[in-house]
Amino acid sequence: MKVGAIGEAMVELSMDGATAAKVGVAGDTLNTAIYLKRSAPEIEVDYITRLGTDQFSDQIEKFIRSEWIGTGNIERDPERMPGLYAITTDDAGERSFSYWRDSSAARRMFATDQGADFSGLEGYDVLYLSGITLAIMSAGIRTALMRFLQGFRKKGGRVCYDSNYRPQLWIDQDTAIAANAAIWSLTDIALPSIDDEQALTGEDDKTIAMRFRMMERTGALKRGASGPLCLKTGSEHPYAAAETVVDTTAAGDSFNGGYLGALLTGGSQAEALKAGHNLASKVIGHKGAILPR
């Protein structure tokens, strides 16, 4: 089993007071790749992105390798650097984010002078991407990727997608809705969350659940503390709530990793749903996106 996770890895500055900051690495699909690899070490997991040729890019690639994730399909761009974001926390503990990513190297992922090159995506059994992956691409590269995914599935590959909607990354909401409709039609394993779908479409919980049921996709509708809903059957199961909630960063990303780790190694749908929920419950009990090993 070989999985390729596609997206953007960024430099993270976690502010400690007014002048000090801890430097880390973050990214939604990268978080999922890490938790997938930790959940199922027997699966070969690669991270696919574009970085610069600077020292921060070198540190990002080194961090990815430290999680036993392959970096052979990471492109390098001599003209650009990775995106950066800063986390600040107010007196009440509320977190806010500031981003510098408009000219990141990842925004030119797969782009060539001749158009687009997706040859690096050949040979995977599963490709995982998110709404952020699509949002940072140009319209032309995004359309070309959709065409590639059509062929990828015809050859037996599976596509896994999480809409992970971030309005500020899209040119407008209509473009985001159209792109998501297109990718859902190409998705084999769907991992939407109720909050993202509500923000994107304005639909209520029941309408969202019914829409995905009609798609007849394998996957889960993530609903936070309520626990995931099985997309194929619409069935609900009792799930234990997290004992402690410290930081909800990467709750959905870690669910995806735990769910896929179980599903792709032969687990049942019920086992995969439980694995995802249990892992996310642990992650939100700690500060930061990645649990200490």
Side-chain angles (χ1 to χ4, degrees), residues 86-188:
I87 305 171
T88 56
T89 306
D90 64 20
D91 293 339
E94 290 295 324
R95 290 152 59 94
S96 60
F97 302 85
S98 301
Y99 290 91
W100 297 265
R101 69 195 308 179
D102 290 347
S103 59
S104 72
R107 284 185 172 269
R108 298 203 301 196
M109 189 165 33
F110 307 122
T112 68
D113 293 338
Q114 292 74 39
D117 179 8
F118 301 106
S119 59
L121 301 183
E122 301 283 358
Y124 289 101
D125 299 294
V126 178
L127 290 175
Y128 172 77
L129 64 159
S130 76
I132 293 177
T133 310
L134 295 183
I136 64 172
M137 293 177 175
S138 68
I141 297 296
R142 190 162 56 236
T143 299
L145 176 62
M146 300 284 189
R147 288 196 296 267
F148 170 84
L149 293 177
Q150 287 178 333
F152 175 77
R153 296 177 75 226
K154 288 180 180 178
K155 295 176 183 177
R158 285 185 286 175
V159 175
C160 180
Y161 181 68
D162 177 352
S163 46
N164 215 358
Y165 178 52
R166 298 294 182 269
Q168 66 272 24
L169 294 180
W170 292 92
I171 188 170
D172 55 47
Q173 189 171 10
D174 288 343
T175 301
I177 291 173
N180 274 273
I183 193 68
W184 285 133
S185 71
L186 300 171
T187 297
D188 300 284

Side-chain angles (χ1 to χ4, degrees), residues 18-33:
T19 59
K22 179 181 178 181
V23 180
V25 178
D28 66 328
T29 55
L30 178 57
N31 297 337
T32 293

Side-chain angles (χ1 to χ4, degrees), residues 237-260:
H237 303 278
Y239 294 96
E243 295 181 3
T244 305
V245 179
V246 174
D247 182 355
T248 58
T249 302
D253 303 335
S254 58
F255 175 94
N256 295 348
Y259 173 92
L260 290 172

Side-chain angles (χ1 to χ4, degrees), residues 198-277:
Q198 286 176 337
L200 180 60
T201 67
E203 297 171 338
D204 60 31
D205 295 18
K206 290 184 178 180
T207 302
I208 292 168
M210 182 57 67
R211 171 160 56 86
F212 282 99
R213 281 287 308 281
M214 292 175 66
M215 290 182 190
E216 298 183 343
R217 296 286 186 268
T218 295
L221 178 62
K222 291 168 286 184
R223 304 180 301 166
S226 298
L229 184 71
C230 176
L231 289 187
K232 184 165 283 189
T233 65
S235 59
E236 297 186 60
H237 303 278
Y239 294 96
E243 295 181 3
T244 305
V245 179
V246 174
D247 182 355
T248 58
T249 302
D253 303 335
S254 58
F255 175 94
N256 295 348
Y259 173 92
L260 290 172
L263 189 72
L264 297 178
T265 53
S268 68
Q269 180 72 0
E271 290 169 336
L273 291 167
K274 185 175 181 180
H277 181 80

